[in-house]
Structures are given as structure tokens and as C-alpha cells.
Amino acid sequence: MSSLKEKMYRFMQGRYGMDDLGRFSMIVILVLMVLSMIFQSGLMNLMVCAGLIYVYYRAFSRNISKRYGENQKFLAFRDNLRSRKTSTVRVFKCPTCGQKVRVPKGKGKISIHCPKCNTDFIKRT
Ligand SMILES: [Zn+2]
């Protein structure tokens, strides 16, 4: 092992390191970095800096149980979003009045009845 690697290893011992939340934050930061270069935005630059500080603060933190808890919250939030995407319900807007109507997914072409204005419209679910 090279001495630099050894030093790094010793430094990271007892510290939290990277997790899903950290990796996700890094992706967001990279996207912000590119956007801030395109738009020459000082505010985005600041957000990139703050984001990097946040990610490194978490990775080098010794409060592992607290960081672990944050990651669990993030995972629960992510799973919640995912299950919403794969939900069995589709929402259509009534073409007449704009009322949102929830119908079951995967039923093929069905006639949807708007409860607000009583219009029937056909949609593929
Ligand atoms: Zn309607």
C-alpha cells in the first residue's frame, strides 16, 4: 500500500464515507456545475460550493448513526417517488373543464366520465 493510500485509509477510519444520499447529492452538484457554466450564474456557483461542503461534511462526519438516519430518510423518500411512478392509477384531465379524473391503469381504451361537468371522453390507459 502506498503511503498516501494508507494515510487516506487512516483518515477515513471511523468516518461515515459515501452513501446513496451522498452519491445522489454529487449528481445534483455535477448537474448544477454544468448549468452554472452554461448560464454563468453566480447563485448556482454558490449552490455548487454549498453542496460540495455538505457532501464532504457528511462523508467525513464521525456521527455515523445520524448520517445513517439521513440516508434512510432519503431512501424512503426515493422509494416513495418510485412507487408513485409505478402506480396503478392514471390521472387524465377532462378536455372540457380541466377536472382531473383518476382511472385504473392498463385497461386499454376506456370511456372516462368527468364527475364535474358530466362529459365522457375516451382515453387509452
Ligand atoms: Zn369535465
Side-chain angles (χ1 to χ4, degrees):
M1 210 188 270
S2 74
S3 70
L4 183 69
K5 247 186 187 171
E6 214 168 311
K7 266 183 200 156
M8 229 6 232
Y9 179 74
R10 233 172 255 155
F11 178 70
M12 285 310 288
Q13 241 178 0
R15 292 176 198 259
Y16 184 66
M18 264 301 177
D19 59 6
D20 303 86
L21 177 56
R23 275 188 286 273
F24 175 76
S25 307
M26 279 312 266
I27 292 166
V28 172
I29 289 165
L30 281 174
V31 171
L32 271 175
M33 232 182 236
V34 172
L35 286 175
S36 79
M37 274 189 259
I38 294 168
F39 295 112
Q40 301 282 317
S41 160
L43 179 70
M44 279 180 188
N45 243 326
L46 208 72
M47 283 163 76
V48 168
C49 289
L52 282 173
I53 291 168
Y54 174 70
V55 168
Y56 281 108
Y57 165 76
R58 288 191 74 251
F60 296 148
S61 170
R62 289 184 189 277
N63 193 346
I64 285 166
S65 63
K66 194 156 183 226
R67 302 287 88 81
Y68 179 80
E70 288 167 359
N71 191 47
Q72 288 306 107
K73 261 187 215 157
F74 165 72
L75 289 178
F77 175 72
R78 192 183 68 181
D79 289 347
N80 189 10
L81 281 185
R82 272 192 191 158
S83 65
R84 231 182 269 175
K85 250 186 219 165
T86 56
S87 104
T88 51
V89 172
R90 276 196 76 170
V91 179
F92 289 106
K93 245 187 188 174
C94 168
T96 312
C97 70
Q99 167 75 31
K100 282 178 183 160
V101 188
R102 293 159 75 86
V103 293
K105 215 175 183 177
K107 299 273 180 203
K109 258 189 183 175
I110 57 165
S111 169
I112 300 164
H113 184 80
C114 172
K116 201 172 166 191
C117 67
N118 292 318
T119 309
D120 288 297
F121 56 102
I122 309 244
K123 284 278 182 194
R124 187 181 291 280
T125 62

